[in-house]
Amino acid sequence: MSSTEVIRLDGSVLEGGGQLLRVAIALSVLLAKPIAIDNIRGNRKPPGLKHQHAAGLRLAAEICSAQLDGCELGSTSIAFRPSVEPQISRHYKADSGTAGSIALLLQISLPCLVFSPTPIASSNLILHGGTNAIQAPQIDYIQHVFLPFIHKHFGFEPRIKVVKRGYFPKGGGEVHIEVPPVRGPLPAVTLIERGKVKAIYGRSYVAGLPKSVAEAMRAAAMDVLMKSGVDAGSIDVKAVREKPSDCVGSGSGIVLWAETEDGCIIAGSALGRKGVDPGCVGQDAARELASNLAHGGCVDEYMQDQMIIFLALAQGKSRVKTGPLTLHTRTAIWVTEQLSGAKFYVEESGNSCIIECEGMGYTPS
Ligand SMILES: Nc1ncnc2c1ncn2[C@@H]1O[C@H](COP(=O)(O)OP(=O)(O)OP(=O)(O)O)[C@@H](O)[C@H]1O
């Protein structure tokens, strides 16, 4: 068993949402440190665990044979005591039971599965829930932005297969992810120059709705991109209608991503909602992309917080230029520093920041 000294965290600090919980648990698994978290999602109404958070906790507990207490819906306190017994199974399933985000189930489990002291086979995740949920990365963001970032900068390449898309309120999506193991520490990242935008890609989609909705989102997004003066070599945004056999329920949305000469990928996205003009949805996504390009940083406002745990685990000094620091990022830095030996320094200047991290050089024991 792991050491008995429990680290207590206040889940209402800063952003005080589900991400604090996921980062804390992933680090607890990797570092075999028992933790207790109170005031979970203390800044959300209502506070406490929702389906997605509880499913993520159970998945992390299964990955490291942890003792998990308090993992009930609405619970505002949990205790998590990881075991250091070697993992036997490398096949895991999790189901948010609702349209809770599959991407956020990946957010808690991916760091836990990356490292292995022995060159064993890959880990396999089968995740059920919502593929395109609000206030979470859409699955297209994971495919086209997050995983390519992880591969390019940290050198391992999880493979993802979207078997079925699932939308609010039923969920029912299914995504398979294969995570190849790495033995050594992850490399540090230096990402200060972005380079010019080479191309913008996108996917404007509908499920169970007329294709004209996807076309309207696409047209409005293109219009905003043209007028905002984004200088891209080419723009290729596809409008698609999901085949009924490829999805559960109905939904719509758009994900745009810009690829730059220096290999950065910057996104903007939006989800369709009942009663909202599809044109406004397309405009929102394009404005988000334009604003993420305008600050000149090398990652968008969402990758900013999602990269923090990986920078902390990496060996040596990372430096990444970003836009204005988000509250999610400040929260990820706070929780990471509570649990790991990594140290962060943020230099803010005008509309941009340099996030510097002295990583802990994590290797599994
Ligand atoms: N549009 C988006 N594109 C990519 N990533 C996103 C997007 N919106 C949110 N995220 C990411 O999803 C995560 C959301 O964390 P947050 O704590 O808000 O979520 P949560 O678990 O749903 O909990 P809560 O309901 O408490 O907000 C963050 O890592 C954030 O960067």
Side-chain angles (χ1 to χ4, degrees):
M1 290 293 282
S2 54
S3 69
T4 48
E5 201 185 319
V6 177
I7 300 173
R8 283 208 101 81
L9 295 174
D10 180 343
S12 69
V13 166
L14 296 168
E15 179 70 34
Q19 170 234 25
L20 187 159
L21 181 79
R22 288 185 293 276
V23 174
I25 293 291
L27 287 169
S28 165
V29 171
L30 288 170
L31 304 173
K33 290 187 180 177
I35 59 173
I37 309 178
D38 301 310
N39 299 324
I40 290 173
R41 297 182 64 254
N43 289 342
R44 300 289 190 260
K45 280 197 176 78
L49 299 177
K50 293 204 291 190
H51 285 284
Q52 169 254 116
H53 309 104
L57 282 172
R58 286 193 296 270
L59 173 60
E62 189 190 339
I63 289 173
C64 69
S65 311
Q67 184 183 325
L68 171 62
D69 297 311
C71 183
E72 290 95 37
L73 283 186
S75 167
T76 53
S77 295
I78 57 125
F80 188 91
R81 181 175 290 275
S83 156
V84 289
E85 301 300 320
Q87 296 167 30
I88 299 167
S89 168
R90 303 293 284 182
H91 295 264
Y92 305 97
K93 278 189 186 176
D95 187 348
S96 72
T98 60
S101 165
I102 284 178
L104 296 182
L105 294 176
L106 181 65
Q107 196 175 75
I108 192 169
S109 54
L110 181 65
C112 309
L113 296 174
V114 172
F115 299 95
S116 168
T118 51
I120 54 161
S122 299
S123 299
N124 291 281
L125 283 169
I126 298 181
L127 303 176
H128 293 269
T131 49
N132 300 76
I134 50 160
Q135 280 151 25
Q138 298 198 44
I139 207 65
D140 314 80
Y141 182 93
I142 297 291
Q143 289 175 297
H144 299 291
V145 184
F146 177 75
L147 291 179
F149 178 90
I150 291 288
H151 182 211
K152 180 170 169 59
H153 298 291
F154 298 110
F156 65 96
E157 189 176 13
R159 283 176 286 278
I160 181 165
K161 186 171 173 209
V162 180
V163 177
K164 225 177 233 307
R165 287 174 180 259
Y167 300 98
F168 182 81
K170 278 195 210 145
E174 179 173 333
V175 174
H176 296 187
I177 295 147
E178 185 185 338
V179 186
V182 296
R183 299 176 78 169
L186 302 176
V189 176
T190 301
L191 201 47
I192 301 295
E193 299 295 333
R194 188 170 74 195
K196 280 183 62 174
V197 175
K198 271 193 319 194
I200 293 175
Y201 300 96
R203 187 170 186 277
S204 177
Y205 62 88
V206 290
L209 297 168
K211 191 173 176 193
S212 56
V213 172
E215 283 159 354
M217 290 188 292
R218 175 187 181 279
M222 296 288 281
D223 191 47
V224 169
L225 290 177
M226 298 299 176
K227 287 184 181 149
S228 65
V230 169
D231 181 17
S234 63
I235 303 183
D236 176 11
V237 180
K238 305 244 182 304
V240 289
R241 183 174 194 272
E242 312 283 356
K243 283 196 247 156
S245 56
D246 291 344
C247 55
V248 175
S250 58
S252 64
I254 176 165
V255 180
L256 304 167
W257 62 97
E259 297 187 0
T260 74
E261 282 169 349
D262 290 357
C264 299
I265 310 178
I266 312 278
S269 63
L271 275 177
R273 296 171 305 283
K274 232 185 181 152
V276 176
D277 179 349
C280 296
V281 178
Q283 285 171 353
D284 285 351
R287 287 194 188 116
E288 191 172 276
L289 173 60
S291 116
N292 275 314
L293 288 171
H295 59 59
C298 297
V299 293
D300 62 45
E301 63 198 285
Y302 303 110
M303 187 61 70
Q304 212 190 85
D305 74 82
Q306 294 175 57
M307 72 181 177
I308 293 299
I309 186 169
F310 296 100
L311 299 184
L313 294 168
Q315 171 117 55
K317 185 185 284 188
S318 291
R319 293 183 84 232
V320 182
K321 184 173 178 190
T322 71
L325 205 66
T326 67
L327 190 55
H328 273 104
T329 303
R330 288 174 56 207
T331 314
I333 290 176
W334 177 81
V335 71
T336 302
E337 288 190 337
Q338 302 301 304
L339 289 166
S340 74
K343 283 275 158 274
F344 285 84
Y345 311 90
V346 179
E347 207 182 290
E348 300 192 54
S349 118
N351 206 21
S352 67
C353 289
I354 304 279
I355 299 180
E356 200 170 287
C357 174
E358 201 56 65
M360 61 182 294
Y362 176 83
T363 48
S365 48

